[in-house]
Amino acid sequence: MLEKSNLDGFFVAIDGPNGVGKSTLIEAIKEKMESLGYIVYTTKEPTDTKLGRFIRRFAEGHYGISLACLVAADRYEHLMNEIIPELKKRKLVITDRYVLSSLILQQMDGVSDIFILNSNAEIIKPDLQLAVFAEENILQERLAERNVLTRFEKGNQSNSELYYMEKGIVELEKEKINVMRIYNNDNLEFNVEKVASYIVDNWRIT
């Protein structure tokens, strides 16, 4: 993966198993950072482009390498059309899902971590990777409240997601990416303060 050079913004990726509460955490971080005077841009993967919407439909009936390639393609488009332009504007960019999600979901589909990392070799590294955890029973309780589930959310797969997330974190740390573990069954305010402090302390705006 590539270093984020010549971009004055700060890039945060947030990943975790389905039902872990990423959306709530992202909104809370956004509100906190805006209260401190930062300009925040939030986004997600798959994107809301034609390709991203196609991937959501495609993923329900297709597995493996073909899906992994589409997800990587959407990520490169995401970087080119949204993430990098917003970082150039000196914004705090937060994405709901990034490469760690590929290391979770695509490995659950039988794709090797080597293939995933190679297909994502030209993406930029986040300044901070949040890996959001919760107990398996909490994840399942939250998913049970949803009206519609994707194939990754059905059939009690939370344990597999947590397993591959741990493996994915190891791979990201080999890439020298800063990974912060967040336990979302803890106090939300504590987690938000922890993330905000890291960003304030490590964002060197030139």
Side-chain angles (χ1 to χ4, degrees), residues 12-18 20 22 25-26 45 75 94-105 126 128-133 165 169 172 179-182:
V12 179
I14 302 184
D15 295 90
N18 289 295
V20 80
K22 297 189 305 303
L25 180 61
I26 289 169
E45 293 184 358
R75 183 164 296 129
I94 304 173
T95 181
D96 182 347
R97 295 197 181 279
Y98 199 53
V99 69
L100 182 54
S101 282
S102 288
L103 288 166
I104 298 169
L105 301 177
L128 175 62
Q129 170 69 61
L130 297 186
V132 188
F133 288 83
M165 184 157 74
I169 289 170
L172 295 187
V179 180
M180 180 186 293
R181 293 167 178 263
I182 293 290

Side-chain angles (χ1 to χ4, degrees), residues 1 15-16 38 44 47 63 68 79 89 99 108 112 124 126 130 142 144 156 168-169 178 183 199:
M1 295 179 210
D15 295 90
Y38 293 87
K44 65 180 180 180
T47 63
Y63 299 74
L79 283 163
K89 298 174 186 175
V99 69
M108 289 171 64
S112 72
I124 63 171
L130 297 186
R142 290 172 180 168
N156 194 3
I169 289 170
N178 296 314
Y183 294 89
I199 294 170

Side-chain angles (χ1 to χ4, degrees), residues 60-93:
E60 290 305 301
H62 298 81
Y63 299 74
I65 289 175
S66 61
L67 177 58
C69 288
L70 285 171
V71 170
D74 187 49
R75 183 164 296 129
Y76 285 113
E77 288 289 301
H78 192 199
L79 283 163
M80 180 175 67
N81 296 322
E82 285 193 71
I83 293 173
I84 290 174
E86 297 302 326
L87 289 172
K88 286 180 177 179
K89 298 174 186 175
R90 299 188 175 188
K91 293 182 182 180
L92 169 60
V93 177

Side-chain angles (χ1 to χ4, degrees), residues 174-191:
K174 288 179 184 177
E175 295 276 345
K176 308 299 183 186
I177 293 172
N178 296 314
V179 180
M180 180 186 293
R181 293 167 178 263
I182 293 290
Y183 294 89
N184 214 21
N185 41 327
D186 292 340
N187 184 281
L188 177 63
E189 184 177 351
F190 170 81
N191 287 332

